[in-house]
């Protein structure tokens, strides 16, 4: 029988499993804070690197390793959010949060099948839908961090204050301001099954090049935003108006005759994926208000589509 005292044996780390189990939580947190799965994974990697850079004695002195990891990840995200504003001023065209893949077809608004790597994927709920993430982009870094930590992950304002570097009262005000932005931007929720039907009708009308049907599905004041990152062709400014969006969609269908449109869940809601020769070239997220499409976000930047193409199924 091997015991820790035997020579040549490495002393087991009883906290290792607890530390590793925090990965999914950290990834969930970082994605919501940054709107980028790639950046979120980098944050998690850096957080763990800082943990393992400490001595065993330093690690043992930490009462709550999970709390320590969250604090470090939150601070890294806060720093990145500050520098992201400058980076996005240089971004070519519109910037849209990176869409989360769930490689399953949807029927009546419910996903069917088994998602890829279910243990590692970010949890899909209302706090990762595209409309929510777009509103988060309008917040200051401190507002975003305070709101996500408190309202989504249920950390106390005292805990949030340690990460943001402000008083609990100030963090409460930050979260309140962010909450107000969310309320002002949100339309009454449309049932997922109804969203699925409207998005499917949009797909069918698009494939049929039926401009009247498309106009009927779009809110007259709808907007469509495309993100190519300067790497592929994309409209550099938002398209406003249902008729203008419908005409542009028809133009695209005419220019890309071999395009295949698939029904997929995008950030937990019914969306569409466009493929050419089996390669994903566009991921579309929708915001449906009542029985009309209010917003369309089309991500074409290939860097943001890597999770959709790596190991993708036909």
């Amino acid at each position: 029988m091997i015991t820790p005292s035997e020579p040549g044996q490495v002393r087991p780390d009883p906290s290792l499993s607890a530390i590793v189990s925090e990965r999914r939580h950290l990834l969930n947190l970082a994605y919501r804070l940054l709107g980028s799965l790639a950046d979120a994974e980098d944050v998690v990697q850096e957080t763990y690197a800082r943990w393992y850079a400490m001595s065993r004695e330093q690690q043992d002195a930490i009462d709550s390793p999970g709390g320590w990891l969250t604090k470090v990840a939150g601070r890294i995200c806060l720093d990145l959010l500050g520098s992201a504003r400058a980076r996005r001023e240089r971004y070519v065209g519109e910037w849209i949060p990176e869409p989360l893949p769930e490689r399953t077809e949807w029927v009546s608004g419910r996903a069917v099948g088994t998602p890829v790597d279910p243990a590692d994927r970010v949890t899909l709920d209302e706090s990762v839908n595209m409309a929510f993430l777009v509103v988060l982009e309008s917040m200051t870094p401190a507002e975003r961090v305070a709101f996500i930590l408190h309202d989504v992950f249920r950390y106390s304002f005292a805990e949030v204050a340690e990460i943001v570097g402000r008083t609990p009262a100030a963090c409460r005000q930050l979260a309140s301001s962010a909450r107000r932005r969310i309320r002002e931007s949100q339309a009454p929720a449309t049932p997922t099954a109804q969203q699925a039907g409207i998005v499917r009708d949009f797909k069918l009308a698009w494939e049929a090049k039926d401009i009247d049907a498309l106009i009927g599905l779009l809110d007259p004041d709808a907007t469509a935003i495309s993100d190519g990152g300067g790497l592929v062709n994309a409209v550099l400014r938002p398209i406003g108006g249902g008729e203008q969006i419908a005409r542009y969609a028809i133009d695209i269908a005419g220019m890309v005759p071999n395009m295949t449109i698939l029904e997929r869940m995008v950030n937990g809601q019914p969306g569409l994926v466009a493929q050419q020769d089996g390669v994903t070239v566009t991921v579309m997220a929708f915001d449906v208000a009542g029985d009309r499409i209010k917003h369309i976000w089309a991500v074409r930047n290939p860097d943001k589509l890597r999770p959709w193409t790596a190991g993708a199924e036909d």
Side-chain angles (χ1 to χ4, degrees):
M1 178 177 178
I2 297 175
T3 65
S5 61
E6 288 186 50
Q9 298 299 323
V10 177
R11 183 162 61 102
D13 182 355
S15 67
L16 180 59
S17 61
I19 291 297
V20 173
S21 69
E22 292 291 326
R23 181 183 182 278
R24 184 176 181 181
H25 166 74
L26 297 174
L27 188 61
N28 270 282
L29 174 66
Y31 174 76
R32 285 166 176 80
L33 290 177
L34 302 174
S36 165
L37 189 57
D39 288 347
E41 290 170 341
D42 288 344
V43 167
V44 173
Q45 183 175 348
E46 173 63 20
T47 301
Y48 277 113
R50 294 188 187 185
W51 171 265
Y52 288 112
M54 295 189 295
S55 67
R56 180 65 178 273
E57 290 71 23
Q58 289 173 315
Q59 294 172 356
D60 289 342
I62 296 173
D63 293 332
S64 173
W68 185 92
L69 291 169
T70 296
K71 183 185 298 184
V72 170
R75 286 175 175 169
I76 295 173
C77 288
L78 186 61
D79 290 341
L80 287 175
L81 284 169
S83 61
R85 289 179 177 270
R87 293 200 309 272
R88 288 171 193 170
E89 286 177 1
R90 302 190 299 270
Y91 196 81
V92 178
E94 299 290 324
W95 190 94
I96 299 175
E98 183 179 328
L100 285 178
E102 184 175 25
R103 297 185 184 96
T104 55
E105 294 186 5
W106 43 266
V107 179
S108 299
R110 293 195 309 160
V112 294
T114 304
V116 175
D117 297 328
D120 289 334
R121 72 181 177 85
V122 173
T123 301
L124 301 178
D125 60 21
E126 67 279 1
S127 70
V128 291
N129 74 51
M130 192 61 74
F132 187 95
L133 292 175
V134 168
V135 177
L136 292 180
E137 288 297 316
S138 69
M139 299 178 185
T140 67
E143 280 179 332
R144 186 167 183 165
V145 173
F147 173 74
I148 291 296
L149 284 169
H150 180 266
D151 283 46
V152 177
F153 288 91
R154 304 303 180 188
Y155 285 92
S156 70
F157 284 118
E159 293 169 310
V160 174
E162 291 187 36
I163 295 172
V164 179
R166 305 194 187 189
T167 65
C171 290
R172 185 184 299 276
Q173 288 298 318
L174 288 169
S176 176
S177 174
R179 203 176 299 122
R180 185 166 54 252
R181 290 177 187 245
I182 293 289
R183 282 198 304 266
E184 291 172 353
S185 68
Q186 284 182 330
T190 301
T192 304
Q194 184 177 344
Q195 292 181 47
I198 292 170
V199 172
R200 178 173 289 117
D201 288 344
F202 181 91
K203 170 184 179 290
L204 295 174
W206 192 12
E207 290 173 329
K209 301 180 183 179
D210 186 339
I211 189 167
D212 291 333
L214 286 173
I215 292 173
L217 291 165
L218 291 158
D219 186 282
D221 296 322
T223 60
I225 297 176
S226 182
D227 177 348
L231 302 176
V232 296
N233 289 332
V235 179
L236 297 179
R237 297 180 183 277
I239 301 174
E243 183 174 346
Q244 288 79 2
I245 294 170
R247 293 190 182 282
Y248 181 74
I250 295 297
D251 290 343
I252 291 294
M255 290 187 290
V256 191
N258 62 335
M259 182 171 60
T260 301
I261 305 172
L262 305 174
E263 300 169 354
R264 291 290 186 268
M265 295 298 287
V266 179
N267 286 63
Q269 294 186 320
L272 298 176
V273 170
Q275 292 187 341
Q276 287 180 262
D277 301 320
V279 177
T280 296
V281 294
T282 306
V283 173
M284 301 175 66
F286 296 80
D287 182 27
V288 177
D291 59 354
R292 298 288 185 93
I293 295 168
K294 188 72 175 176
H295 300 284
I296 301 175
W297 296 279
V299 178
R300 290 184 41 75
N301 184 337
D303 289 342
K304 294 184 178 183
L305 298 181
R306 285 174 183 168
W308 294 81
T309 56
E313 300 169 353
D314 291 338

